[in-house]
Coordinates of all heavy atoms in Angstrom, one line a residue:
Chain E
T131 N 0.0 -5.2 -10.7 CA -1.1 -5.9 -10.3 C -2.3 -5.6 -11.2 O -3.1 -6.5 -11.6 CB -1.5 -5.6 -8.9 OG1 -0.4 -5.7 -8.1 CG2 -2.6 -6.5 -8.4
A132 N -2.5 -4.2 -11.5 CA -3.5 -3.8 -12.4 C -3.4 -4.6 -13.8 O -4.4 -5.0 -14.3 CB -3.7 -2.4 -12.6
Y133 N -2.2 -4.6 -14.2 CA -2.0 -5.3 -15.5 C -2.3 -6.8 -15.4 O -2.9 -7.4 -16.3 CB -0.6 -5.1 -16.1 CG -0.1 -5.8 -17.3 CD1 -0.9 -5.3 -18.5 CD2 0.7 -6.8 -17.5 CE1 -0.7 -5.9 -19.7 CE2 1.0 -7.4 -18.7 CZ 0.3 -6.9 -19.8 OH 0.5 -7.4 -21.1
A134 N -2.0 -7.4 -14.3 CA -2.3 -8.9 -14.2 C -3.8 -9.1 -14.1 O -4.2 -10.1 -14.6 CB -1.5 -9.3 -12.9
A135 N -4.5 -8.1 -13.4 CA -5.9 -8.4 -13.4 C -6.6 -8.3 -14.8 O -7.5 -8.9 -15.2 CB -6.5 -7.2 -12.5
Y136 N -5.8 -7.3 -15.6 CA -6.3 -7.1 -17.0 C -6.1 -8.5 -17.9 O -7.1 -8.9 -18.4 CB -5.5 -6.0 -17.7 CG -5.5 -6.0 -19.1 CD1 -6.6 -5.4 -19.9 CD2 -4.5 -6.5 -20.0 CE1 -6.8 -5.4 -21.2 CE2 -4.4 -6.4 -21.3 CZ -5.6 -5.8 -21.9 OH -5.6 -5.7 -23.3
L137 N -5.1 -9.1 -17.6 CA -4.8 -10.4 -18.3 C -5.7 -11.5 -17.9 O -6.3 -12.1 -18.7 CB -3.3 -10.8 -18.0 CG -2.2 -10.0 -18.7 CD1 -0.8 -10.6 -18.1 CD2 -2.2 -10.1 -20.1
L138 N -5.8 -11.5 -16.6 CA -6.8 -12.5 -16.0 C -8.2 -12.4 -16.5 O -8.9 -13.4 -16.8 CB -6.7 -12.4 -14.4 CG -7.6 -13.5 -13.8 CD1 -7.2 -14.9 -14.0 CD2 -7.8 -13.3 -12.2
T139 N -8.7 -11.2 -16.5 CA -10.1 -10.9 -16.9 C -10.2 -11.2 -18.5 O -11.3 -11.7 -18.8 CB -10.5 -9.4 -16.6 OG1 -10.1 -9.2 -15.2 CG2 -12.0 -9.4 -16.7
N140 N -9.2 -10.9 -19.2 CA -9.4 -11.2 -20.6 C -9.4 -12.6 -20.9 O -10.1 -13.1 -21.9 CB -8.1 -10.6 -21.3 CG -8.3 -9.1 -21.7 OD1 -9.4 -8.6 -21.6 ND2 -7.2 -8.6 -22.2
E141 N -8.9 -13.5 -20.0 CA -9.1 -15.0 -20.2 C -10.6 -15.4 -19.8 O -11.1 -16.4 -20.4 CB -8.2 -15.7 -19.2 CG -6.7 -15.6 -19.5 CD -6.4 -16.0 -20.9 OE1 -6.9 -17.2 -21.2 OE2 -5.7 -15.4 -21.6
M142 N -11.4 -14.6 -19.1 CA -12.6 -14.9 -18.7 C -13.7 -14.5 -19.8 O -14.7 -15.3 -19.9 CB -13.1 -14.2 -17.5 CG -12.1 -14.5 -16.2 SD -12.3 -16.1 -15.9 CE -10.7 -16.2 -14.8
T143 N -13.5 -13.5 -20.4 CA -14.7 -13.1 -21.4 C -14.1 -12.5 -22.7 O -13.1 -11.9 -22.7 CB -15.5 -12.1 -20.8 OG1 -16.2 -11.2 -21.6 CG2 -14.7 -11.1 -19.9
A148 N -13.9 -5.6 -20.7 CA -13.9 -6.2 -19.3 C -12.5 -6.1 -18.7 O -12.3 -5.8 -17.5 CB -14.3 -7.6 -19.3
G149 N -11.5 -6.5 -19.4 CA -10.0 -6.5 -18.9 C -9.7 -5.0 -18.4 O -9.1 -5.0 -17.4
A152 N -11.4 -4.2 -15.2 CA -10.9 -4.9 -14.1 C -9.6 -4.2 -13.7 O -9.2 -4.0 -12.6 CB -10.6 -6.4 -14.3
M156 N -8.9 -2.8 -10.1 CA -7.8 -3.3 -9.2 C -6.8 -2.3 -8.8 O -6.3 -2.2 -7.8 CB -7.0 -4.4 -10.0 CG -6.2 -5.3 -9.2 SD -7.1 -6.4 -8.2 CE -6.2 -6.4 -6.8
L181 N -0.2 -13.2 -6.6 CA -1.4 -14.0 -6.5 C -2.3 -13.9 -7.9 O -2.6 -15.0 -8.5 CB -2.3 -13.4 -5.3 CG -3.5 -14.1 -5.0 CD1 -3.1 -15.3 -4.1 CD2 -4.4 -13.3 -4.2
V182 N -2.6 -12.6 -8.3 CA -3.3 -12.5 -9.5 C -2.5 -13.2 -10.7 O -3.2 -13.8 -11.4 CB -3.7 -11.0 -9.7 CG1 -4.4 -10.8 -10.9 CG2 -4.3 -10.5 -8.5
F183 N -1.3 -12.9 -10.7 CA -0.5 -13.4 -12.0 C -0.4 -14.9 -11.9 O -0.5 -15.5 -12.9 CB 0.9 -12.8 -11.9 CG 1.5 -12.8 -13.3 CD1 0.9 -12.0 -14.3 CD2 2.6 -13.6 -13.6 CE1 1.4 -12.0 -15.5 CE2 3.2 -13.6 -14.8 CZ 2.6 -12.8 -16.0
T184 N -0.3 -15.5 -10.9 CA -0.4 -17.0 -10.6 C -1.7 -17.5 -11.1 O -1.8 -18.5 -11.9 CB -0.1 -17.4 -9.3 OG1 1.1 -16.8 -8.8 CG2 0.1 -18.9 -9.1
F185 N -2.8 -16.8 -10.8 CA -4.0 -17.4 -11.2 C -4.2 -17.1 -12.7 O -4.9 -18.1 -13.4 CB -5.2 -16.5 -10.5 CG -5.3 -16.9 -9.0 CD1 -5.8 -16.0 -8.1 CD2 -5.1 -18.3 -8.5 CE1 -5.9 -16.4 -6.8 CE2 -5.2 -18.6 -7.4 CZ -5.7 -17.6 -6.3
Y186 N -3.8 -16.1 -13.3 CA -3.7 -15.9 -14.7 C -2.9 -17.1 -15.5 O -3.6 -17.7 -16.3 CB -3.0 -14.6 -15.0 CG -2.8 -14.5 -16.4 CD1 -3.7 -14.4 -17.5 CD2 -1.4 -14.5 -16.8 CE1 -3.4 -14.4 -18.9 CE2 -1.0 -14.3 -18.2 CZ -2.0 -14.3 -19.2 OH -1.5 -14.3 -20.5
L187 N -1.9 -17.4 -14.9 CA -1.0 -18.5 -15.6 C -1.7 -19.8 -15.4 O -1.7 -20.6 -16.3 CB 0.4 -18.5 -14.9 CG 1.2 -17.4 -15.2 CD1 2.5 -17.5 -14.4 CD2 1.6 -17.4 -16.7
W188 N -2.4 -20.0 -14.2 CA -3.1 -21.3 -14.2 C -4.2 -21.3 -15.1 O -4.4 -22.4 -15.6 CB -3.6 -21.2 -12.5 CG -4.8 -22.3 -12.4 CD1 -6.0 -22.0 -12.2 CD2 -4.6 -23.7 -12.5 NE1 -6.8 -23.2 -12.0 CE2 -6.0 -24.2 -12.2 CE3 -3.7 -24.6 -12.8 CZ2 -6.2 -25.6 -12.2 CZ3 -3.9 -26.0 -12.7 CH2 -5.2 -26.4 -12.4
I189 N -5.1 -20.1 -15.3 CA -6.1 -20.4 -16.2 C -5.6 -20.6 -17.5 O -6.2 -21.4 -18.3 CB -6.9 -19.1 -16.1 CG1 -7.6 -18.9 -14.8 CG2 -7.9 -18.9 -17.2 CD1 -8.7 -20.0 -14.6
K190 N -4.5 -19.9 -17.8 CA -3.9 -20.1 -19.2 C -3.5 -21.5 -19.5 O -3.8 -22.1 -20.5 CB -2.8 -19.0 -19.4 CG -2.2 -18.7 -20.7 CD -3.1 -17.8 -21.4 CE -2.5 -17.6 -22.8 NZ -3.4 -16.8 -23.6
K193 N -6.5 -23.7 -19.9 CA -7.2 -23.6 -21.2 C -6.4 -24.2 -22.3 O -7.0 -24.9 -23.2 CB -7.4 -22.1 -21.5 CG -8.6 -21.5 -20.8 CD -8.7 -20.0 -21.1 CE -9.8 -19.7 -22.0 NZ -9.9 -18.2 -22.1
E390 N -12.8 -21.8 -16.9 CA -12.3 -20.6 -16.1 C -13.3 -20.0 -15.4 O -13.1 -19.2 -14.4 CB -11.6 -19.6 -17.1 CG -12.5 -19.1 -18.1 CD -12.5 -20.0 -19.5 OE1 -12.3 -21.1 -19.3 OE2 -12.9 -19.4 -20.5
F393 N -13.7 -21.3 -12.0 CA -12.6 -20.8 -11.1 C -13.1 -19.6 -10.5 O -13.1 -19.3 -9.2 CB -11.4 -20.5 -11.9 CG -10.3 -19.9 -11.1 CD1 -9.6 -20.8 -10.2 CD2 -9.9 -18.6 -11.2 CE1 -8.5 -20.2 -9.4 CE2 -8.9 -18.1 -10.4 CZ -8.3 -18.9 -9.6
V394 N -13.8 -18.6 -11.2 CA -14.2 -17.4 -10.6 C -15.2 -17.7 -9.6 O -15.2 -17.1 -8.4 CB -14.8 -16.3 -11.7 CG1 -15.4 -15.2 -11.0 CG2 -13.6 -16.0 -12.7
Y397 N -13.6 -19.2 -6.4 CA -12.6 -18.2 -5.8 C -13.5 -17.3 -5.0 O -13.3 -16.9 -4.0 CB -11.8 -17.6 -6.9 CG -10.8 -16.5 -6.3 CD1 -10.7 -16.3 -5.0 CD2 -10.1 -15.7 -7.2 CE1 -9.8 -15.3 -4.6 CE2 -9.3 -14.7 -6.8 CZ -9.0 -14.5 -5.4 OH -8.1 -13.7 -4.9
P417 N -9.2 -9.2 -5.6 CA -9.0 -9.5 -7.0 C -10.2 -10.1 -7.6 O -10.7 -9.6 -8.8 CB -7.8 -10.4 -6.9 CG -7.1 -10.1 -5.8 CD -8.2 -9.7 -4.7
V418 N -10.8 -10.9 -7.0 CA -12.0 -11.7 -7.7 C -13.2 -10.7 -7.7 O -14.0 -10.8 -8.8 CB -12.3 -13.0 -6.9 CG1 -13.1 -12.8 -5.6 CG2 -13.2 -13.8 -7.8
C420 N -12.9 -7.5 -8.2 CA -12.8 -6.8 -9.3 C -12.9 -7.5 -10.7 O -13.6 -6.9 -11.6 CB -11.2 -6.3 -9.4 SG -10.8 -5.2 -8.0
V421 N -12.4 -8.7 -10.8 CA -12.9 -9.5 -12.0 C -14.3 -9.6 -12.3 O -14.7 -9.4 -13.4 CB -12.0 -10.9 -12.0 CG1 -12.4 -11.8 -13.2 CG2 -10.6 -10.7 -12.0
A422 N -15.0 -10.2 -11.3 CA -16.4 -10.3 -11.5 C -17.1 -9.1 -11.7 O -18.0 -9.1 -12.7 CB -17.0 -11.0 -10.2
I425 N -16.6 -8.2 -15.3 CA -17.3 -8.9 -16.3 C -18.9 -8.4 -16.2 O -19.4 -8.2 -17.3 CB -17.4 -10.4 -15.8 CG1 -16.0 -11.0 -16.0 CG2 -18.4 -11.2 -16.6 CD1 -15.8 -12.4 -15.5

Side-chain angles (χ1 to χ4, degrees):
Chain E
T131 313
Y133 183 61
Y136 166 76
L137 291 175
L138 179 64
T139 316
N140 274 353
E141 293 300 316
M142 301 294 166
T143 160
M156 195 72 221
L181 185 84
V182 180
F183 202 66
T184 309
F185 286 151
Y186 161 69
L187 291 170
W188 161 249
I189 293 297
K190 196 85 184 166
K193 278 173 111 176
E390 64 269 21
F393 180 75
V394 174
Y397 184 4
V418 74
C420 293
V421 170
I425 291 174

